[in-house]
Amino acid sequence: MSFLDEVPWDADGLITAVAQDASSGKILMVASMNREALKQTVERREAVYWSRARKRLWRKGEESGHVQKLVELRLDCDADAVLLKVEQLGGIACHTGRESCFFRKLEDGRWVTIDPVLKDPSLIYKR
Amino acid sequence: MSFLDEVPWDADGLITAVAQDASSGKILMVASMNREALKQTVERREAVYWSRARKRLWRKGEESGHVQKLVELRLDCDADAVLLKVEQLGGIACHTGRESCFFRKLEDGRWVTIDPVLKDPSLIYKR
């Protein structure tokens, strides 16, 4: 029995995936995986997600070069989420050019952008 | 405009919520919130989730005492996930009596339980 069979894929065949920087512990992003994405993630040792917007497999970093090297993979108690501890190449996970997608913080009832853009997105996606 | 209005609630009116220990950086759990859960989380400064199994608001720790005190709340770039940095009372987030729900690690193609049970669940949920 494959480890893939122990995942109770949801009605859309997906599971939630959380990517965490293995060194800093910072949460980089939350995305979805289908069975093939999880399989390829383990085989390649690099994060592969399912893009719900583009409806296709999305090898993280395929355009940006910001590949996520898999360091450790974990499954939660009710098996509806996986946790990827990764080495984030380029130090940027977010398409906005920030380290993490969670760059907005609630302050006095408002979402405030508190993390800096490390690289202009137009320079990341020029290829 | 409320910060709640900036969340594009999904078809079920939910958003993914990731809870992270504010001190250790450990990922404790992944759950869902609806609008009321997120509102109450901010008002109480304690995590309130939407239980999809029980179809009701679930004040984390209401039975176990393992309340999650909200330290910081963040929203991701496409606003489909929130990150809660919390102080985990009792040091246990998982209903199995473990610190984190992500206690299984993929090793040689198998999910292996690697984190210890800190407290017998029958002692946690006796109330």
Side-chain angles (χ1 to χ4, degrees):
Chain A
M1 176 162 161
S2 163
F3 68 95
L4 296 165
D5 296 326
E6 292 181 54
V7 176
W9 307 97
D10 74 10
D12 297 320
L14 301 176
I15 190 173
T16 298
V18 180
Q20 180 179 33
D21 187 289
S23 302
S24 69
K26 196 154 184 172
I27 305 302
L28 300 173
M29 53 183 283
V30 171
S32 294
M33 287 185 174
N34 63 3
R35 185 182 173 103
E36 183 64 20
L38 184 55
K39 181 169 176 281
Q40 289 196 18
T41 294
V42 171
E43 286 172 355
R44 293 171 175 264
R45 307 297 296 174
E46 291 178 2
V48 178
Y49 300 106
W50 174 256
S51 170
R52 289 190 288 189
R54 292 176 282 180
K55 297 193 192 314
R56 67 168 179 84
L57 286 178
W58 160 38
R59 193 168 61 77
K60 175 66 182 167
E62 63 191 9
E63 290 180 60
S64 62
H66 296 152
V67 168
Q68 295 177 335
K69 296 277 184 186
L70 184 66
V71 175
E72 186 179 306
L73 183 66
R74 289 186 175 230
L75 181 67
D76 75 348
C77 52
D78 51 3
D80 64 358
V82 288
L83 170 62
L84 287 78
K85 297 190 186 181
V86 301
E87 177 195 348
Q88 176 62 64
L89 301 195
I92 294 174
C94 187
H95 75 287
T96 63
R98 294 181 177 87
E99 179 186 4
S100 161
C101 294
F102 290 93
F103 54 81
R104 287 186 285 180
K105 180 180 166 187
L106 193 68
E107 290 184 354
D108 300 326
R110 290 174 52 235
W111 298 111
V112 179
T113 296
I114 56 168
D115 292 341
V117 172
L118 302 178
K119 188 172 179 179
D120 186 326
S122 68
L123 299 176
I124 297 175
Y125 297 98
K126 63 184 173 183
R127 291 188 293 181
Chain B
M1 175 162 162
S2 164
F3 68 95
L4 297 165
D5 295 327
E6 291 182 54
V7 176
W9 307 96
D10 74 10
D12 296 320
L14 301 176
I15 190 173
T16 297
V18 180
Q20 179 179 34
D21 187 289
S23 302
S24 70
K26 197 155 184 173
I27 305 303
L28 300 173
M29 55 184 282
V30 171
S32 294
M33 286 185 176
N34 61 5
R35 185 183 173 102
E36 183 64 21
L38 183 55
K39 180 170 176 279
Q40 289 197 16
T41 294
V42 171
E43 286 173 353
R44 293 171 175 265
R45 308 297 295 175
E46 292 179 3
V48 178
Y49 300 107
W50 173 255
S51 169
R52 288 189 288 189
R54 291 176 283 179
K55 298 193 191 314
R56 66 168 179 84
L57 286 179
W58 161 37
R59 193 168 61 78
K60 174 67 181 165
E62 62 190 9
E63 290 181 58
S64 63
H66 296 151
V67 167
Q68 294 177 336
K69 295 276 185 186
L70 185 66
V71 175
E72 187 177 306
L73 183 66
R74 288 185 176 231
L75 181 67
D76 75 348
C77 53
D78 51 3
D80 64 358
V82 287
L83 169 62
L84 287 78
K85 297 192 186 179
V86 302
E87 177 195 350
Q88 177 62 64
L89 301 195
I92 295 174
C94 188
H95 74 288
T96 64
R98 293 180 176 86
E99 180 186 5
S100 162
C101 294
F102 290 92
F103 55 81
R104 288 186 284 180
K105 181 181 166 185
L106 193 68
E107 290 184 355
D108 300 327
R110 290 173 52 235
W111 299 110
V112 179
T113 296
I114 56 167
D115 292 340
V117 172
L118 302 178
K119 188 171 180 179
D120 185 326
S122 68
L123 298 177
I124 298 175
Y125 295 99
K126 64 184 173 181
R127 291 187 292 182

